[in-house]
């Protein structure tokens, strides 16, 4: 069973969740491919944002292609929340899938999403739903983060984690990295998605 984790990350938070999701899916026996969604900003744009050591290592991750999607049994998409939506990089990539949509190439594959936002109530769930909407148009079977992951009920500390998918809160300047609870949510989601894909794959 092949699980593809395709994500975009500017500062590293979504990437950190992606790695935890990978751990969870591997724990379920899946073969996992961690890939990145191509950049659409110019080098100049990126320089103006004064970013970052992280971008160097992010660029070493293989780029997700349309073939990567076709080969996967489950596709988990990670996109930071931008203006209450998935980031433009992910939207642009998904908007290029017209042929796969027409061919029904992703119909019946398991889909799931995760995100990072700057603030605690900055639109994480809306961003995840925006990915889910596209997945449904592509005929995918959308899977979230069930409440059997008890960590999403915590109120003793600030935490991400929603029934729509794993999340983290990055802080206004990206100063907060994912907490242990948020990473546990991501591992849970990875395992959960892989287990559902395995069940669907059984004849
Ligand atoms: C163009 C833009 C729009 C953003 N919009 C939001 C937003 O609507 N809500 C929010 O909480 N954070 C917002 N942020 C902050 C990002 O969500 C934050 O930088 C991101 O989660 C960090 O993830 P990364 O480290 O994976 O890049 C925005 C950032 C940018 C660059």
């Amino acid at each position: 069973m092949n699980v593809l984790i395709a994500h975009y990350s500017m500062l590293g938070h979504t990437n950190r969740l992606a790695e935890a999701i990978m751990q969870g899916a591997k724990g379920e026996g899946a073969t996992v491919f961690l890939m990145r969604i191509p950049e659409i900003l110019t080098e100049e744009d990126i320089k103006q944002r004064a970013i970052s050591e992280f971008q160097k290592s992010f660029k070493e991750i293989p780029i997700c292609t349309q073939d990567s999607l076709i080969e996967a049994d489950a596709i988990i998409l990670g996109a930071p929340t931008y203006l209450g939506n998935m980031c433009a990089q992910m939207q642009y990539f998904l908007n290029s899938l017209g042929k796969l949509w027409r061919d029904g190439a992703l119909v019946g594959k398991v889909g799931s999403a995760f995100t990072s936002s700057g603030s605690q109530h900055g639109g994480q769930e809306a961003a995840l739903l925006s990915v889910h909407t596209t997945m449904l148009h592509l005929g995918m079977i959308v899977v979230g983060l069930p409440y059997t992951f008890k960590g999403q009920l915590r109120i003793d500390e600030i935490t991400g984690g929603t029934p729509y998918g794993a999340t983290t809160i990055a802080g206004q300047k990206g100063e907060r990295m994912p907490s242990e609870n948020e990473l546990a949510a991501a591992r849970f989601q990875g395992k959960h998605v892989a287990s559902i894909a395995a069940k669907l794959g059984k004849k």
Side-chain angles (χ1 to χ4, degrees), residues 9-15 49 80-84 116-119 122 170:
S9 185
M10 174 70 81
L11 303 173
H13 302 79
T14 313
N15 173 257
R49 289 171 196 218
T81 299
Y82 285 1
L83 301 173
S116 163
S117 70
S119 59

Side-chain angles (χ1 to χ4, degrees), residues 10 39-52 59:
M10 174 70 81
E39 186 52 89
I40 58 172
L41 297 177
T42 62
E43 286 298 326
E44 198 48 40
D45 284 335
I46 294 179
K47 259 191 223 144
Q48 277 177 12
R49 289 171 196 218
I51 305 164
S52 85
K59 287 208 173 106

Side-chain angles (χ1 to χ4, degrees), residues 10-170:
M10 174 70 81
L11 303 173
H13 302 79
T14 313
N15 173 257
R16 189 68 199 83
L17 291 182
E19 286 174 349
I21 287 175
M22 177 163 70
Q23 280 175 11
K26 278 188 177 168
E28 197 61 23
T31 304
V32 184
F33 299 88
L34 181 69
M35 297 192 157
R36 74 180 161 99
I37 297 298
E39 186 52 89
I40 58 172
L41 297 177
T42 62
E43 286 298 326
E44 198 48 40
D45 284 335
I46 294 179
K47 259 191 223 144
Q48 277 177 12
R49 289 171 196 218
I51 305 164
S52 85
E53 280 307 299
F54 169 72
Q55 276 299 310
K56 287 185 200 150
S57 61
F58 189 59
K59 287 208 173 106
E60 285 165 16
I61 298 173
I63 287 185
C64 180
T65 64
Q66 300 202 3
D67 283 343
S68 323
L69 300 174
I70 291 167
E71 283 155 22
D73 300 304
I75 300 168
I76 311 179
L77 298 178
T81 299
Y82 285 1
L83 301 173
N85 213 311
M86 72 177 97
C87 65
Q89 288 79 358
M90 182 63 77
Q91 183 90 67
Y92 186 81
F93 177 76
L94 294 176
N95 282 184
S96 74
L97 303 183
K99 182 169 185 321
L100 299 195
W101 168 66
R102 280 192 299 279
D103 293 349
L106 305 184
V107 172
K109 292 183 189 289
V110 176
S112 198
F114 60 103
T115 193
S116 163
S117 70
S119 59
Q120 207 178 340
H121 303 290
Q124 296 185 339
E125 290 169 345
L128 292 174
L129 287 170
S130 72
V131 178
H132 292 170
T133 301
T134 304
M135 288 177 164
L136 290 169
H137 278 257
L138 291 165
M140 299 174 72
I141 300 164
V142 174
V143 169
L145 175 68
Y147 278 107
T148 41
F149 174 68
K150 297 288 179 214
Q152 67 180 301
L153 293 166
R154 287 182 73 160
I155 53 168
D156 59 328
E157 63 175 40
I158 290 174
T159 188
T162 78
Y164 307 83
T167 67
T168 186
I169 302 151

